[in-house]
Amino acid sequence: MMTNLTPNQQNAEQIRRCISDLLTQMTDDYQQTQPERRELTAATPKTDETFSVLEELELLTSDLRGYASQMQVRGWIENEPAAIAHLQTLRLFNIPAIAQFYFETDQHYPKLKEYVRRLDYLRLLLLEYLQAHT
């Protein structure tokens, strides 16, 4: 099959489709984590000092889904240089609440942990897309 796209454009288009598919999958995955989220909420002491792991995940989900949705709908992300810089510094396992949850809860919360991995994968795909696209 012949196309008029350069290899770099073809790669960006493949990544864009993968992001779109992953976004759909993550919506389903998030619904599947509801029992684990309830269990984690009940097991986590309330503190005003820091965000809980679930609050951190909500913030990350909002940021990453926002980028992915822009890319999915428009094919580009507003202020791409700023988005690239943000995605490069947004390392999920550098967030203390997420690192502690992920590495210190042994075999508990497998669906939530899979969701964290998918969030990070989405971050990396977005970064790769933006770097290939610019």
Side-chain angles (χ1 to χ4, degrees):
M1 179 170 108
M2 298 288 287
T3 68
N4 294 330
L5 298 176
T6 67
N8 206 27
Q9 289 170 322
Q10 288 175 350
N11 185 40
E13 182 59 26
Q14 289 171 335
I15 295 168
R16 192 179 73 73
R17 281 195 306 267
C18 188
I19 289 169
S20 184
D21 292 346
L22 185 59
L23 194 54
T24 301
Q25 179 63 46
M26 288 182 68
T27 300
D28 295 338
D29 289 349
Y30 191 74
Q31 295 302 319
Q32 298 299 314
T33 66
Q34 188 174 18
E36 289 182 7
R37 285 184 283 133
R38 273 195 293 253
E39 180 183 333
L40 185 59
T41 298
T44 305
K46 298 254 188 258
T47 173
D48 291 337
E49 295 176 18
T50 59
F51 286 127
S52 72
V53 66
L54 291 176
E55 290 167 327
E56 292 285 5
L57 286 175
E58 290 290 331
L59 291 170
L60 288 166
T61 296
S62 177
D63 280 356
L64 295 174
R65 286 183 66 86
Y67 287 137
S69 294
Q70 284 182 54
M71 190 276 322
Q72 185 179 37
V73 171
R74 297 187 244 176
W76 56 275
I77 292 175
E78 197 169 309
N79 197 353
E80 289 184 358
I84 290 170
H86 182 234
L87 290 167
Q88 286 173 330
T89 60
L90 189 65
R91 300 227 157 90
L92 276 67
F93 296 108
N94 284 348
I95 299 169
I98 291 176
Q100 182 178 3
F101 160 74
Y102 192 88
F103 295 112
E104 295 179 14
T105 55
D106 299 322
Q107 310 303 322
H108 294 84
Y109 313 107
K111 289 180 180 178
L112 266 174
K113 288 181 179 179
E114 177 63 26
Y115 185 77
V116 169
R117 287 189 296 272
R118 286 185 199 253
L119 266 179
D120 200 41
Y121 182 53
L122 177 60
R123 178 188 72 85
L124 294 171
L125 282 174
L126 286 164
L127 192 55
E128 185 175 347
Y129 175 80
L130 289 170
Q131 290 171 334
H133 189 256
T134 55

